[in-house]
Amino acid sequence: MNRKKTVVALVLAALVAAANAIAFSNKAIPDFEKESGIAANGPAWIRINQLGYTPTGIKVAVWGSKSKGKLKRFQLVDATTNKVVFKGKAGEAFGAYGPFEESFRLNFTEFTKPGRYYLQAGEAKSPEFLIDADVYKGTADFALRYMRQQRSGFNPYLKDSCHTHDGYTMYGPMPDSTIIDVSGGWHDASDYLQYATTSANATYHLLAAYRDFPGVFTDKHQANGLEGTNGVADVLDEAKWGLDWLLKMHPREDWLFNQLADDRDHQGMRLPTNDPVDYGMGKGGPRPVYFASGEPQGLGKYQNRATGVASIAGKFTSAFGLAAQVYSGQEKELASLFSTKALSAYKLGLAKPGVAQTAPNRAPYFYEEDNWVDDMQLGAAALYQLTGKQEFFKQAYNYGLQEKVTPWMGADTARHYQWYPFHNFGHFELAKKSDDKTKEELVGFYKEGIERVYAKAKKNAFYRGVPFIWCSNNLTTSFAIQSFLYRQLSGDQTYAELEQANFDWLFGVNPWGTSMVYGLPAHGDTPTDPHSAFTRLNKYPIDGGLVDGPVYGSIFNNLQHLKLYSEDAYAEFQSKLAVYHDDFGDYSTNEPTMDGTASLIYLLASKEYSSQEGRPVKK
C-alpha cells in the first residue's frame, strides 16, 4: 500500500472510530434535553464538591442556570465507560440565587458505588469527581502546611527566622517600651500582625483535632516544622508552637498580653524574613506588644472599644486547660505548667469581665469582638474537665445561659469579628460531662442556632444561610463544625444535609464553582492568585490556606484602595448578592487567614475520621 492510500485508510478508520464513539455515547447517554425535561434553554452549570463524596455520605450537587427553565431529571455518568449509572429527579425548584435565574439541588446520595463520575443535566456537565471512602484522607495534614508557613520566629518554609526582636510593651503595669521576649507564634493572615485572640482559638482547634480524631494525622515534621519525624503527630507539634507563644504572652500570673504589632505593618508586600517596618525602634526592630489592660487602646488616631479582659483570658484558659489534659499522660511537668497558666488566666477573666478588642493605630479597622461569656464558658468547661471541681461546672453553665446562641447565626450582617469565635465549643465540652437534663438543654442551644441559619438556608439551592461578611468562609467552617458537634451529641440527622452543604460550599458547590482552599484538591479549581506576599513576590504556594471568601456586593463596592490586577475569570458569576475574585488585589475575598485554616483543620479531620466506618468523635 502506497503512502497516499495509507493516509486515506487511516482517515477512514478514524471516521469509523469517531462514529462508533458517538453511537456509544448516544446509547449510553440519551437525548439529554429530552431526558432532563428542561422547559427552556440557557447557559447552565453543575457545581460539585471537588474533593469528592464518600460512598455512604450525603451527595448533592447544585444546578444553576442563566434562564428560568425548569429541570426535571439529571444523570450520573461513569467517567470511564461513559455509561449512565444513576438517574435522579431534580425535585424542588429553588429559583433565582446570585447570578442564576433558576437552581436545583441534585441529590444522588443513594448511589454508593466507588468510582469516577460526572453529572449531566441537559447540556450542563459537571467536572469529574470521585466517590470513594478516602476522598478526605490526608486533607487535614495538607492544611497544616499553611500553619507552618505562617510561623513567626523560625519559619520552616523559608528556613529562616523573622521578628526575633519582639517586642516592647505598651499599656502595661511596667514602664512603656520595656523589652520582653514574645517572639514566635503565627502571623494572623497575609500581614504580620499577631493576635492572641485568633492564636488561642487556633491552638484550641488544633488540640481538639488531635484529641478527637486520633489516627488522622501523621508525623512527617519535627517540632521546628522542618521535615523529619519526632514521634509526635504534626498537628500536636503545631499546637505546641501556638502554646509556646501563648506562654510568652502570659509570662506572669498578673500579666496578659493581647496583641503583637499593629497596622503600621501595612506598608506593602514583603516576606516576613525581610520586614523593614519601623515601629519606633529602628527598621526591623522590636514591635509593640499590647498589654490586656481592659480599657480602650490605640497608639495612633484610632482606638478600640475594649471593656475588659475576659474575652482573651477565657481563650487562654481554654487553650491551656485542654493542653494540660492532652499532655497529662505524656509530659507531666508540661501538663502542670499548662494547668497553672489556665487557672491564672481564668482568674484574670473573672477580675475584669468584658471584651479585649484588638488595637488599631492609623486606620479605624480592628477585630470588634463584642462577646466574652462564650470564652469564659469554654475556659471554665476546660477547667472542670481538668480538675473535676463542681464550681467550674456551675460557672460554665451560667456563662452558657448568658449566650445560648452565637449572635451572628440568623443575622444578615455583623461587624468584623464581632461575634468570635464563630461557634462556641463550650456547649459541646460541657455537655459531654453533664447529666442528661443539662446535656439536652445545651444541645438545644446548638439546635436553636442551627435552626436560625437553616431558616434562611432552606430557601436557596446552595443551602446558604451564612451572611456574606468578611471572612464568610470562616463562618461557614464554624457552622459546619457546630452542626457536626450537634449531631455527635444528639444523634439527630435532621441537619446532616445542611452540614454537608456548608462543607461542600468550601470545595466548589458555590456560584463560582471553585474550592476556597489553596491547592486542595490538587487538580481542581482552587485559588491561584491570593492576596499573599508568598505567591505575589516569589510564586511560593500557600498550600492549605483557607481564603476569606465571598462578600456582599454592597461591601465590595464600598471598599477603598482595592484594584483587580487580572481579568475576572468569574465575571459571569458575580452578582449584587455576593462577589468573589481569585485576584491578588481583592484583599476582601481572597486573603487566607490563619485562624480560619486552623478551624478548617478540625473540620477536615472530622470528615476523614467519620468516613472511616462512620465512627463518632472520640469521647
Side-chain angles (χ1 to χ4, degrees), residues 78 129 132 158 213 219 258 270 274 286 314 471 477 522:
D78 188 305
F129 58 86
D132 191 275
L158 298 172
F213 313 118
D219 172 24
N258 189 45
R270 72 276 181 198
N274 181 29
C471 297
T477 302

Side-chain angles (χ1 to χ4, degrees), residues 480-519:
I481 291 174
Q482 175 163 317
S483 300
F484 168 78
L485 298 178
Y486 168 78
R487 188 162 51 85
Q488 294 300 310
L489 288 171
S490 67
D492 181 10
Q493 299 293 320
T494 301
Y495 308 103
E497 188 173 337
L498 176 64
E499 174 190 335
Q500 184 67 35
N502 278 269
F503 181 77
D504 291 343
W505 174 278
L506 297 173
F507 292 98
V509 187
N510 55 61
W512 304 270
T514 181
S515 166
M516 297 289 176
V517 183
Y518 191 102

Side-chain angles (χ1 to χ4, degrees), residues 581-614:
H581 301 97
D582 183 14
D583 190 297
F584 162 76
D586 190 351
Y587 56 80
S588 68
T589 72
N590 209 34
E591 181 176 6
T593 63
M594 175 274 298
D595 64 309
T597 302
S599 296
L600 180 68
I601 288 167
Y602 183 93
L603 180 61
L604 288 169
S606 76
K607 300 296 287 186
E608 179 177 343
Y609 189 80
S610 298
S611 69
Q612 301 168 3
E613 301 178 2

Side-chain angles (χ1 to χ4, degrees), residues 541-582:
I542 54 166
D543 286 345
L546 175 69
V547 298
D548 284 333
V551 298
Y552 288 118
S554 58
I555 290 179
F556 179 80
N557 291 331
N558 284 287
L559 292 172
Q560 297 180 359
H561 312 298
L562 190 151
K563 172 187 175 183
L564 298 182
Y565 287 78
S566 303
E567 184 178 352
D568 184 5
Y570 301 115
E572 62 186 327
F573 306 117
Q574 312 298 5
S575 67
K576 292 181 180 179
L577 175 65
V579 301
Y580 166 75
H581 301 97
D582 183 14

Side-chain angles (χ1 to χ4, degrees), residues 47-54 57-62 105-109 135-136 461-464 473 476-477 480 496-511 513-517 520-521 600 603-604 607:
R47 302 312 196 191
I48 52 97
N49 184 327
Q50 295 180 45
L51 286 179
Y53 303 85
T54 60
I58 293 170
K59 294 178 279 292
V60 177
V62 170
R105 290 178 66 76
L106 312 183
N107 193 320
F108 53 106
T109 299
V135 291
Y136 305 135
F462 291 97
Y463 272 21
R464 181 71 183 176
N473 281 342
T476 303
T477 302
E497 188 173 337
L498 176 64
E499 174 190 335
Q500 184 67 35
N502 278 269
F503 181 77
D504 291 343
W505 174 278
L506 297 173
F507 292 98
V509 187
N510 55 61
T514 181
S515 166
M516 297 289 176
V517 183
L520 192 64
L600 180 68
L603 180 61
L604 288 169
K607 300 296 287 186

Side-chain angles (χ1 to χ4, degrees), residues 11 30 43 55 57 77 98 214 231 283 326 340 346 356 368 409 424 451 453 462 521 530 547:
V11 170
V77 184
K283 292 185 177 181
V326 166
T340 299
Y346 187 70
E368 302 181 63
M409 293 184 182
N424 181 7
E451 273 288 346
V453 174
F462 291 97
V547 298

Side-chain angles (χ1 to χ4, degrees), residues 117-133:
Y117 304 94
Y118 62 86
L119 291 161
Q120 189 148 5
E123 294 182 352
K125 176 182 175 182
S126 78
E128 293 182 5
F129 58 86
L130 285 174
I131 296 178
D132 191 275

